[in-house]
Amino acid sequence: MKPIKIADGIYWVGVADWNIRDFHGYSTYKGTTYNSYLVVDDKITLIDAVKKEFADELIGNISQIVDPKKIDYMVSNHTEMDHSGGLARVMHRIGEDKPLYCSKMGHKNLSMHFPQKWNYMPVENGGELRLGKNSLTFMETRMLHWPDSMFSYVKEQKLLFSSDAFGQHYSGPERFDDEIGDDIMPHALKYFANILLPYSPLILKLVEKVTDMGLPIETICPDHGIIWRKDPSKIIKAYVEWSEQKPKRKAVVVYDTMWHSTETMANAIVEELGNHGVHAKPFCLKHDHRSDIITEILDAGAVILGSPTLNNGIFPTVSDFMTYMKGLKPLNKVGAAFGSYGWSGEAVKILNGELEQMKFNVVDPGVRIQFVPDENALGACRELAGKVAAALPAK
Ligand code: FEO
């Protein structure tokens, strides 16, 4: 792809992965980009590589600006292989002995990914590297979202290379926020919900720290998706709001069904929640992807789970979803469970146990219906919906 100038001497030299549709379990309907940045100064520096399969394309992009051999420094802000996979090819091309700057954990983790004995230069938090008229200040951002993650900040241009933070899995013709406008926000939200949600408390602390430091930021260059140059404060404010996880009067009803009984219960619960002024919608795991459902859950006050009992357990798709949701650790949720069964009926009890483990406020023992729900059974579903509605905030 054609390199794009971002600031004086700073270029986007990344690649688009138009066809990726699954990113370790997260659905990426719009593909993604692996953003790599070239700083051309007295010392020429490459910030982050790309996925292995795209390394030659990255090198081709760099070559449109400088001979890759002239690159003096490599910076790795994050070890995950969508940014480091191409490193072997890049280091081979620029020179295996060139200094490779990364965090201390980055050094440790990169060494466990690559056998090459590269010229690692582990940096301190706050450490500075002079490039000429520009400099890089390294900021450790441990667990945002790996132990090795760090940001690199160019104070002379008020520009932040933010690694995965503030990214979006989106590939399109646009490169900047002003070219796409608010249409990018749902992609940024989904990215946050599926990648950064477990680290919400750390994000709030980081934003507070950066605000206290009075660090001016005019451009944010993440490692995926578009670059924030028109209004970087917009995505920072959104991250604060999303990290706070303030519950809304909204419920997400997640279920799967074998013979439509659990589905009938889900629909009755959704309808009754609506009667109580709750924004509610059913999501059937046969049709909705786990990563889209998690995105809906981010600002919901309640998650209501429905599963048939299959072989004394919960339905496999519900189990998959619970594993995914538990890992993402959503906060401040009301929970409840329901489901149809044939003869043993353990699913609701199992789901309640898991919701309690996740510190959800479980407001009802749950509704278990044998075989097909009759009017009484649907009445019990409506009662459950009423209890959930009562536990939600007024707005
Ligand atoms: Fe985009 Fe954590 O890698």
Side-chain angles (χ1 to χ4, degrees):
M1 290 183 88
K2 203 168 143 268
I4 306 281
K5 187 174 175 182
I6 302 167
D8 193 22
I10 301 184
Y11 300 86
W12 176 87
V13 287
V15 299
D17 188 349
W18 300 104
N19 294 326
I20 189 168
R21 291 294 177 270
D22 179 279
F23 196 99
H24 56 51
Y26 166 159
S27 65
T28 48
Y29 306 120
K30 297 286 184 186
T32 194
T33 67
Y34 310 114
N35 296 342
S36 180
Y37 300 97
L38 189 69
V39 183
V40 181
D41 206 324
D42 295 346
K43 296 292 183 187
I44 301 174
T45 305
L46 185 66
I47 315 280
D48 288 327
V50 295
K51 208 172 173 181
K52 189 178 178 183
E53 297 88 321
F54 296 88
D56 283 337
E57 191 178 336
L58 167 65
I59 290 163
N61 295 347
I62 295 165
S63 304
Q64 295 180 51
I65 302 171
V66 292
D67 179 347
K69 284 200 190 74
K70 291 192 172 158
I71 291 177
D72 297 287
Y73 302 145
M74 178 74 216
V75 172
S76 169
N77 279 328
H78 177 29
T79 305
E80 195 166 6
M81 282 191 275
D82 49 332
H83 311 294
S84 73
L87 211 46
R89 185 88 187 91
V90 167
M91 292 305 287
H92 180 71
R93 193 73 171 74
I94 71 175
E96 305 276 358
D97 58 341
K98 297 284 172 71
L100 197 171
Y101 292 87
C102 55
S103 66
K104 285 185 185 133
M105 283 304 290
H107 178 202
K108 192 173 164 207
N109 289 352
L110 284 168
S111 304
M112 288 189 278
H113 281 71
F114 299 97
Q116 293 90 333
K117 304 282 179 222
W118 285 321
N119 182 13
Y120 286 108
M121 306 289 259
V123 299
E124 297 288 339
N125 182 39
E128 200 175 294
L129 177 64
R130 281 233 66 87
L131 307 180
K133 53 183 187 303
N134 293 300
S135 63
L136 292 173
T137 305
F138 302 111
M139 298 163 63
E140 273 192 317
T141 54
R142 278 186 179 224
M143 297 318 298
L144 288 179
H145 69 125
W146 275 26
D148 48 68
S149 299
M150 69 174 189
F151 291 171
S152 301
Y153 177 65
V154 185
K155 63 174 182 281
E156 295 79 6
Q157 314 239 22
K158 303 181 178 74
L159 182 149
L160 183 71
F161 296 112
S162 64
S163 185
D164 276 336
F166 312 119
Q168 332 89 46
H169 283 314
Y170 174 81
S171 56
E174 310 88 351
R175 203 80 296 129
F176 297 99
D177 54 347
D178 47 285
E179 294 169 346
I180 188 167
D182 280 348
D183 289 352
I184 198 62
M185 294 312 284
H187 301 289
L189 171 69
K190 181 170 176 179
Y191 187 95
F192 179 92
N194 285 277
I195 308 267
L196 293 160
L197 183 61
Y199 312 110
S200 295
L202 287 177
I203 291 169
L204 290 172
K205 275 190 198 149
L206 179 72
V207 173
E208 198 183 314
K209 192 172 122 190
V210 171
T211 309
D212 288 350
M213 285 164 74
L215 217 59
I217 297 173
E218 287 181 357
T219 310
I220 297 177
C221 301
D223 273 358
H224 299 285
I226 62 99
I227 294 158
W228 306 91
R229 70 175 176 189
K230 183 184 174 211
D231 185 9
S233 69
K234 183 177 186 138
I235 189 66
I236 295 172
K237 278 185 204 149
Y239 264 48
V240 170
E241 186 195 325
W242 298 335
S243 298
E244 285 172 343
Q245 297 188 56
K246 285 187 186 150
K248 287 190 179 157
R249 195 165 176 78
K250 172 179 171 184
V252 173
V253 179
V254 189
Y255 73 97
D256 207 336
T257 195
M258 290 170 71
W259 295 105
H260 300 292
S261 290
T262 305
E263 181 180 45
T264 304
M265 297 169 79
N267 290 341
I269 290 168
V270 166
E271 190 178 351
E272 184 64 9
L273 285 165
N275 293 339
H276 289 270
V278 177
H279 176 94
K281 207 179 144 189
F283 293 87
C284 176
L285 288 160
K286 278 194 222 319
H287 309 291
D288 291 296
H289 195 273
R290 60 172 96 78
S291 56
D292 292 317
I293 300 173
I294 286 293
T295 310
E296 285 289 335
I297 284 175
L298 182 67
D299 66 349
V303 181
I304 309 177
L305 290 154
S307 176
T309 295
L310 178 69
N311 299 330
N312 308 104
I314 55 179
F315 204 67
T317 52
V318 180
S319 187
D320 169 283
F321 179 76
M322 288 303 286
T323 301
Y324 194 68
M325 182 167 72
K326 267 195 275 182
L328 290 167
K329 301 183 178 68
L331 302 172
N332 311 323
K333 307 292 180 207
V334 169
F338 63 96
S340 160
Y341 68 97
W343 48 96
S344 57
E346 292 91 339
V348 167
K349 194 173 167 200
I350 295 169
L351 288 175
N352 276 341
E354 298 205 359
L355 290 172
E356 274 159 13
Q357 257 183 27
M358 292 173 65
K359 301 197 175 7
F360 278 37
N361 173 20
V362 179
V363 292
D364 190 88
V367 181
R368 297 161 70 242
I369 299 298
Q370 195 163 16
F371 292 118
V372 177
D374 59 11
E375 198 36 53
N376 278 342
L378 294 177
C381 290
R382 287 192 279 270
E383 212 173 294
L384 177 143
K387 285 189 198 170
V388 169
L392 286 173
K395 276 191 177 176

